[in-house]
Amino acid sequence: MRGVRVVRVVTGAAAAVLLLTKLGATPALADTIDAALVRAYQNNPQLNAQRAQVRFTDENVPQALSGYRPRVAITASAGTQYTDVQSTSGGTATNLVKTDIHGVNAPRSVGTTVSQTVFNGFQTANRTRAAEGQVSGAREGLRVLEQTVLLSAATIYMDYLRDAAIVEVQRSNVRVLEQTLKQTRDRFNVGEVTRTDVAQSEAQLAAGRTQLLTAESNLVTTKANFRRIIGNEPDNLAPGSPVDRFLPGTLPGAVDLGLTENPSVTAAMFGIDVSYLQIKVAEGALLPTVTVQASVQQSYEQTLTFFRQFGASAVAQISAPIYQGGAEYSLIRQSKETLAQQRLNLEQVRDQTRSNVVTAWGQLVAGKAQVASAQSQVSASEIALNGVREEAKAGQRTTLDVLNAQQALVNARVALVTAQHDRVVASYAVLNAVGRLAPQVLGLNTTVYDPSVHYHQVRDSWIGVRVPDGR
């Protein structure tokens, strides 16, 4: 009968968590948790969609910068015109000269107008700064999702290891119970035990099979989620290990790091900057606007008497708003309320971040203790089961005692598997809470997505409809 073994957890700088595995050598090409995180980082559709959203936000900057640039328009017209004019000229009634002009002409013209805004109450400058703040906020939002995806990938990886190990525990338990039932029936046939002992063994075996079916069902669900998050079917997964080496040494240090590096906090800070600049943009509507416009136009046959006409002009215009119905004042007040809201939102995000760090840290500390406790429970349960079996052979224990001891060992092994899983996941959760769950920190073997590349490609673009990837 093939058994299972428990591989203990070694804590410390080089900690590694090995869940319950089958006896035998580990596959040479086993999939690792780092490789799974790389696939999730590269291929997760939700993450790639958020990257596209950041590129979308990048375009706000060249749109804002367009306020600094001239506007050029070319106009052209052509058509047919019929004219019938009668006019008189002369100084007296007896000296009138009548003129009769009629006919068809083809008026046509072409012209160019160039306009440039010289001053608009600093609205363009503030819009540009606000757009840059939106880009920075979008990048922090991308970091939030990157961390969420990596945490989900690490969690589902460990979920599969846990559920696969529990299936093996329950499968081994069923084999042991089948053997126990066979031995009990043999003893019943020779009169050593009663029918009650056989029934108890049958009931425990039925319960064990139910637990196995439940474990297999859970594993199927976890496998589907693994495929959804990471992008491939799990196969030959290597044990996962904690990431304690990337964590701060103390809880206060973790809290301080979370309040400065967590992307949710920094995104809220950029939200305050953007809201402040929106107030400045709204206030700019109360200031004068200065524009310069130059135009040239060439016309032909505008009338029957003028064949060609050329004109050019250069005009500077100053416009100072006095009163426009009060909408601009309402917008300023509204923007100030938005700024106050963003400041309160920052405090809320900081409080939530602090709570998340403390919670995750507590789970990590508890997870370490639970692993040690579960290991002791497994060792004690194994010793107890062996002792109960020997005592049962001597007639000092009943079949029910043996079955209970066997179930206690199964429960202890499941508890150890779960504790090992929770231990690893908790370390990733702390890293996520402090804002450092990133490929660069983990040292993942992947090209890190740099949103600034696209930003610099489009920031100073004056023309063009193709995106940098050629679409």
Side-chain angles (χ1 to χ4, degrees):
M1 178 179 64
R2 184 173 54 183
V4 297
R5 63 187 177 94
V6 179
V7 183
R8 299 182 180 275
V9 178
V10 181
T11 58
V17 173
L18 306 181
L19 297 179
L20 292 171
T21 57
K22 298 179 182 180
L23 288 173
T26 301
L29 299 178
D31 194 7
T32 65
I33 190 170
D34 284 353
L37 294 179
V38 167
R39 290 194 299 276
Y41 180 78
Q42 293 176 341
N43 304 322
N44 186 275
Q46 183 182 8
L47 186 53
N48 285 328
Q50 187 65 26
R51 289 166 179 160
Q53 179 63 36
V54 174
R55 294 193 294 271
F56 169 87
T57 307
D58 288 344
E59 296 291 350
N60 290 342
V61 176
Q63 290 172 21
L65 287 172
S66 66
Y68 287 122
R69 299 165 185 164
R71 298 178 182 272
V72 182
I74 297 177
T75 59
S77 65
T80 301
Q81 176 177 287
Y82 173 76
T83 303
D84 190 349
V85 177
Q86 291 182 345
S87 62
T88 58
S89 62
T92 64
T94 59
N95 193 26
L96 294 178
V97 178
K98 294 184 178 180
T99 305
D100 186 5
I101 301 175
H102 61 87
V104 177
N105 64 311
R108 53 200 183 276
S109 65
V110 61
T112 301
T113 300
V114 180
S115 60
Q116 174 67 58
T117 299
V118 178
F119 179 76
N120 62 353
F122 307 105
Q123 291 185 71
T124 298
N126 289 320
R127 285 195 182 104
T128 301
R129 292 167 59 195
E132 290 171 344
Q134 291 171 345
V135 169
S136 298
R139 292 178 183 177
E140 295 306 297
L142 176 60
R143 284 184 58 211
V144 171
L145 188 58
E146 284 178 349
Q147 293 199 149
T148 300
V149 169
L150 290 176
L151 178 60
S152 297
T155 301
I156 197 63
Y157 187 96
M158 298 306 301
D159 285 352
Y160 186 85
L161 286 177
R162 176 199 60 196
D163 293 345
I166 291 176
V167 167
E168 286 302 312
V169 170
Q170 298 296 349
R171 190 170 291 158
S172 175
N173 181 49
V174 168
R175 289 194 294 264
V176 172
L177 292 175
E178 288 174 344
Q179 185 66 23
T180 301
L181 176 59
K182 180 179 181 302
Q183 294 173 354
T184 304
R185 284 174 175 170
D186 291 342
R187 296 177 65 191
F188 172 73
N189 291 333
V190 297
E192 292 183 3
V193 296
T194 66
R195 179 62 186 169
T196 300
D197 296 301
V198 176
Q200 290 171 340
S201 297
E202 290 174 344
Q204 194 72 9
L205 176 59
R209 286 172 175 166
T210 299
Q211 293 170 351
L212 174 59
L213 292 173
T214 301
E216 290 175 341
S217 175
N218 293 337
L219 182 61
V220 170
T221 301
T222 303
K223 186 176 182 179
N225 290 329
F226 190 101
R227 175 68 176 82
R228 174 179 60 85
I229 296 174
I230 296 181
N232 66 290
E233 299 292 336
D235 183 38
N236 291 335
L237 301 189
S241 59
V243 288
D244 294 357
R245 60 191 180 280
F246 303 122
L247 301 179
T250 63
L251 176 57
V255 172
D256 292 341
L257 187 62
L259 294 179
T260 56
E261 292 194 16
N262 188 288
S264 296
V265 175
T266 51
M269 292 179 178
F270 285 119
I272 292 177
D273 295 339
V274 172
S275 296
Y276 173 78
L277 291 168
Q278 292 295 349
I279 296 176
K280 294 302 180 182
V281 171
E283 291 175 344
L286 302 178
L287 300 177
T289 300
V290 180
T291 58
V292 176
Q293 179 175 298
S295 62
V296 295
Q297 184 172 12
Q298 178 71 59
S299 304
Y300 297 92
E301 296 187 48
Q302 295 298 307
T303 67
L304 290 174
T305 58
F306 290 95
F307 177 75
R308 184 177 66 85
Q309 182 178 0
F310 176 81
S313 66
V315 179
Q317 181 179 1
I318 300 178
S319 174
I322 302 301
Y323 183 72
Q324 304 174 73
E328 64 277 18
Y329 299 104
S330 175
L331 182 59
I332 293 172
R333 296 193 302 269
Q334 186 181 55
S335 299
K336 289 181 178 179
E337 293 296 341
T338 301
L339 175 60
Q341 179 188 22
Q342 290 297 326
R343 286 171 174 166
L344 293 173
N345 180 63
L346 174 60
E347 293 304 315
Q348 179 183 1
V349 171
R350 282 174 171 166
D351 290 340
Q352 185 63 55
T353 299
R354 184 182 294 106
S355 175
N356 291 342
V357 172
V358 173
T359 300
W361 189 274
Q363 291 174 344
L364 177 61
V365 173
K368 295 177 181 179
Q370 288 170 356
V371 169
S373 176
Q375 289 174 338
S376 299
Q377 183 182 1
V378 169
S379 299
S381 297
E382 290 174 344
I383 295 173
L385 176 59
N386 292 332
V388 169
R389 283 174 175 169
E390 293 300 323
E391 292 171 359
K393 291 178 182 179
Q396 297 176 347
R397 294 282 184 169
T398 65
T399 301
L400 180 59
D401 294 330
V402 176
L403 295 174
N404 288 339
Q406 171 65 23
Q407 185 61 45
L409 177 58
V410 171
N411 294 340
R413 287 175 172 172
V414 170
L416 176 58
V417 168
T418 304
Q420 291 173 330
H421 162 276
D422 295 344
R423 165 78 173 86
V424 176
V425 172
S427 67
Y428 278 91
V430 173
L431 199 62
N432 173 71
V434 300
R436 304 202 65 198
L437 184 55
Q440 304 94 314
V441 176
L442 296 175
L444 300 181
N445 185 22
T446 182
T447 301
V448 177
Y449 180 80
D450 184 2
S452 66
V453 173
H454 177 268
Y455 171 79
H456 290 296
Q457 287 174 333
V458 302
R459 185 184 190 278
D460 297 317
S461 296
W462 283 49
I463 58 173
V465 296
R466 289 185 178 274
V467 296
D469 63 6
R471 288 180 289 115

